[in-house]
Amino acid sequence: MAEVDQHEGEQDIEKKIEETRQRFKNEFLQDSTEKYDTRDLERLQTEDALVESYLSWRLYVVDDALKMIDESLQWRKEFGLNDLIESMVPKWMFETGAVYLHGYDKEGNKLFWFHVKLHVKDAKTALDKKKYVAFWLERYAKKEPGMPLTVVFDMTDSGLSNIDMDFVRYIINCFKVYYPKFLSKMIIVEMPWIMNAAWKIVKSWLGPEAISKLKFVPKSEALTYIGPEYLPPHLGGTDPFKYSYPPLPDDDFQTPIGDNGPIISEDDTESKEGELESRDALESSFNSEVVAKPKKVNFLEDSLRAEDNDKGDISIRTKGARKPVTTFKGTLLDVSPAEELSFGSGETEKKSLIILTNVTKNQVAFKVRTTAPEKYRVKPSSSCCEPGSSVDIVVSLHGGCQVSPQDRFLIMAAEMDNVGSPELAQFWKEVPKTKIIEHRLRCHVLESIKPTVSPLRNSLPETGTNEQQELNTVVMRMMTLNLRLEQKVNSCLWVQKVLVGLVLILVVLNLLCVYRLGTSQQPS
């Protein structure tokens, strides 16, 4: 029944997406298309996730979503976001360090820092500053599509001279209109009391749907939302990061970032042999204690021979892996799960499954990368998918490692136009970056709901099935008896406390009587 409801819900969303596209075409594109960038219009027609983000941000009211799309696309063309590069922003803005991306909050959302004391209101530079913010947002949107941001206004040592209400309103519009579903929360740290009136105005701009995302905290409470490892010392953290330019800070992936995402060439791979040797040894030891040669599985091409060996044990590899329940509809591959790779919190729940389905008429090559290659084993990490078929990718967590919300996985895919199965390494060398499609997944730890007796049960030695069941039954009975005994003891203690209370009352009354009797017998 639940599956039927989910299927109907997906159909309704698809209808809404199609209705939005058709109405936008009829109502906004009939007069002129010059007010929009054709590349944005193409994305609107081909990317379901983009249209759905506008719809969901406007509670699936098509009229409201259309207004938002119109305003957003016009802004994108006005600021030339599809062509906006670092050199188009004045260098001095980067050098100030007033705005940058760095670190994650406790929920795994990227932190977008605004150091308010470094901002001074100036009408001459207002447009450049807006482009500066747009540059950072667009840079992140391309690298982490669909992933929300947490905005941090660090107002330490700031004053009235640093408040620019027009600039603040622009930042809010970026998240309210231009980048739907981008804002996770907005944390305002150490706001001076003199600015209370200004932020009351800001609240009115946010609207009711975003008020709950606003968090005002003193620096002593910043650790509530951000761990010490990503919080600077002046806010009570231990993060040694110091902004400097150039280069731009970029800690999303531990690999070089190209225009189309992280790219590692074969030459780069050869130069990193010594650096990766210890990591490879760890990954190889995951399967056996004695290994002749380390096997590379993360961020490197697997050999075709190794992939052939994997085909015979697919069912064994996927056994125990957590199955995805959501799907991202892509132009080359459907990716399940859509956004989050879930792991259980128990020792036996350290596998998760990624399912790639080829929706084209040609072979599609893919490879999977992660920000934490020392923690995860991806199998297969590189292969190709036949038209209409699916590939199961098992992501396993190494023993002793813990899943972090900051961990990310990148799936890269490219269509193989030529017939046959060319060498994958050669294919990835030659394929143009513009033909590579990327999809990112973040990690999520599911909290296991365990019965009260599970800690005892897990600590029992492994025995035969029947013996273990009998032992579990005995333990359950003991727990029940213990619970009853505890209840009786608590009842006895309660009665004892009542009796003690009554005795104390009687003693006090007796003392009062003696006192009154003594005073009445004294001569007047």
Side-chain angles (χ1 to χ4, degrees), residues 5 62 64 108 132-133 183 187 194 201 218 227 229 271 282 296 339 342 392-393 424 447 487 500:
D5 293 340
V62 176
D64 294 344
Y132 181 44
V133 172
L183 183 63
I187 305 172
I194 201 169
I201 299 173
E229 68 275 16
S271 66
L282 174 62
K296 303 175 180 61
E339 295 182 356
S342 299
D392 292 345
I393 300 173
L424 280 177
E447 293 297 330
Q487 290 173 346
V500 171

Side-chain angles (χ1 to χ4, degrees), residues 131-164:
K131 280 190 175 183
Y132 181 44
V133 172
F135 167 83
W136 282 107
L137 289 173
E138 188 67 9
R139 174 183 172 86
Y140 180 74
K142 288 177 179 177
K143 288 167 53 183
E144 296 277 12
M147 298 299 180
L149 278 170
T150 290
V151 177
V152 184
F153 281 99
D154 181 3
M155 305 190 76
T156 306
D157 300 328
S158 63
L160 286 175
S161 62
N162 304 120
I163 289 294
D164 184 346

Side-chain angles (χ1 to χ4, degrees), residues 100 113 115 117 154-157 189-190 219-220 231-239 242:
Y100 57 83
W113 291 89
H115 289 278
K117 72 175 183 180
D154 181 3
M155 305 190 76
T156 306
D157 300 328
V189 187
E190 284 292 283
K219 65 179 181 181
S220 59
L231 205 60
H234 74 272
L235 294 181
T238 58
D239 188 3
K242 298 290 184 184

Side-chain angles (χ1 to χ4, degrees), residues 322 324 336-343 351-355 376 393 395 403 409 441-445:
R322 187 174 295 278
S336 301
E339 295 182 356
E340 293 184 336
L341 197 59
S342 299
F343 293 84
K351 284 185 180 181
S352 195
L353 193 64
I354 301 174
I355 302 176
Y376 299 95
I393 300 173
V395 180
V403 177
F409 282 84
L441 299 172
R442 56 185 172 187
C443 290
H444 176 63
V445 182

Side-chain angles (χ1 to χ4, degrees), residues 323-524:
K323 306 297 189 296
V325 294
T326 58
T327 302
F328 168 80
K329 303 289 185 180
T331 54
L332 300 182
L333 297 171
D334 286 353
V335 182
S336 301
E339 295 182 356
E340 293 184 336
L341 197 59
S342 299
F343 293 84
S345 56
E347 288 298 319
T348 59
E349 301 172 294
K350 293 195 171 184
K351 284 185 180 181
S352 195
L353 193 64
I354 301 174
I355 302 176
L356 305 180
T357 303
N358 187 346
V359 295
T360 72
K361 295 181 180 179
N362 296 316
Q363 276 189 335
V364 173
F366 68 85
K367 54 183 174 181
V368 184
R369 295 175 174 176
T370 174
T371 57
E374 73 283 354
K375 292 167 61 174
Y376 299 95
R377 182 171 185 266
V378 183
K379 192 174 183 179
S381 65
S382 177
S383 187
C384 57
C385 188
E386 299 295 327
S389 65
S390 298
V391 174
D392 292 345
I393 300 173
V394 179
V395 180
S396 306
L397 190 67
H398 284 307
C401 296
Q402 297 295 325
V403 177
S404 170
Q406 288 86 13
D407 297 340
R408 296 286 194 274
F409 282 84
L410 172 69
I411 299 167
M412 304 173 65
E415 194 169 7
M416 306 174 76
D417 299 324
N418 51 328
V419 183
S421 300
E423 183 72 27
L424 280 177
Q426 187 65 27
F427 171 79
W428 285 111
K429 274 185 177 182
E430 298 173 353
V431 64
K433 293 181 181 179
T434 54
K435 290 189 176 182
I436 299 175
I437 303 298
E438 297 177 352
H439 184 73
R440 288 169 169 80
L441 299 172
R442 56 185 172 187
C443 290
H444 176 63
V445 182
L446 297 171
E447 293 297 330
S448 298
I449 302 175
K450 298 182 180 180
T452 308
V453 299
S454 59
L456 278 176
R457 187 178 298 173
N458 289 340
S459 64
L460 295 174
E462 293 187 5
T463 59
T465 305
N466 294 333
E467 293 178 5
Q468 188 171 359
Q469 287 179 352
E470 291 176 4
L471 193 56
N472 288 341
T473 304
V474 172
V475 171
M476 289 289 288
R477 287 176 182 172
M478 290 178 63
M479 292 290 291
T480 305
L481 290 172
N482 185 54
L483 183 60
R484 289 177 182 173
L485 182 60
E486 186 179 350
Q487 290 173 346
K488 289 181 180 180
V489 170
N490 288 335
S491 299
C492 292
L493 289 173
W494 181 82
V495 172
Q496 186 180 15
K497 289 178 182 178
V498 171
L499 290 174
V500 171
L502 289 172
V503 170
L504 288 173
I505 291 171
L506 290 173
V507 170
V508 172
L509 289 173
N510 187 46
L511 290 172
L512 285 173
C513 291
V514 171
Y515 173 76
R516 286 183 179 179
L517 182 61
T519 55
S520 64
Q521 290 178 353
Q522 289 179 0
S524 57

Side-chain angles (χ1 to χ4, degrees), residues 181-394:
K181 291 183 68 177
F182 230 49
L183 183 63
S184 167
K185 66 183 77 67
M186 189 177 288
I187 305 172
I188 297 92
V189 187
E190 284 292 283
M191 186 185 75
W193 65 269
I194 201 169
M195 298 182 187
N196 283 337
W199 280 97
K200 285 181 180 178
I201 299 173
V202 170
K203 283 186 177 182
S204 67
W205 294 340
L206 279 170
E209 74 279 358
I211 286 293
S212 61
K213 298 178 182 291
L214 212 57
K215 312 293 180 185
F216 292 89
V217 297
K219 65 179 181 181
S220 59
E221 296 179 12
L223 285 166
T224 305
Y225 301 101
I226 306 169
E229 68 275 16
Y230 290 122
L231 205 60
H234 74 272
L235 294 181
T238 58
D239 188 3
F241 172 79
K242 298 290 184 184
Y243 178 89
S244 62
Y245 176 82
L248 293 174
D250 204 337
D251 58 358
D252 287 322
F253 283 86
Q254 298 170 358
T255 54
I257 301 291
D259 293 336
N260 199 52
I263 303 294
I264 288 186
S265 66
E266 295 305 308
D267 296 334
D268 295 331
T269 300
E270 291 174 2
S271 66
K272 293 178 180 286
E273 285 294 328
E275 178 185 340
L276 296 177
E277 187 174 354
S278 59
R279 180 190 302 168
D280 298 334
L282 174 62
E283 292 165 349
S284 300
S285 65
F286 187 83
N287 272 339
S288 58
E289 295 181 359
V290 180
V291 182
K293 183 181 179 181
K295 180 184 175 183
K296 303 175 180 61
V297 294
N298 280 315
F299 285 2
L300 298 171
E301 264 65 30
D302 289 333
S303 66
L304 293 177
R305 179 171 54 83
E307 299 301 335
D308 291 338
N309 293 336
D310 290 338
K311 294 178 181 178
D313 64 344
I314 291 177
S315 60
I316 298 175
R317 287 193 291 106
T318 60
K319 185 178 180 181
R322 187 174 295 278
K323 306 297 189 296
V325 294
T326 58
T327 302
F328 168 80
K329 303 289 185 180
T331 54
L332 300 182
L333 297 171
D334 286 353
V335 182
S336 301
E339 295 182 356
E340 293 184 336
L341 197 59
S342 299
F343 293 84
S345 56
E347 288 298 319
T348 59
E349 301 172 294
K350 293 195 171 184
K351 284 185 180 181
S352 195
L353 193 64
I354 301 174
I355 302 176
L356 305 180
T357 303
N358 187 346
V359 295
T360 72
K361 295 181 180 179
N362 296 316
Q363 276 189 335
V364 173
F366 68 85
K367 54 183 174 181
V368 184
R369 295 175 174 176
T370 174
T371 57
E374 73 283 354
K375 292 167 61 174
Y376 299 95
R377 182 171 185 266
V378 183
K379 192 174 183 179
S381 65
S382 177
S383 187
C384 57
C385 188
E386 299 295 327
S389 65
S390 298
V391 174
D392 292 345
I393 300 173
V394 179

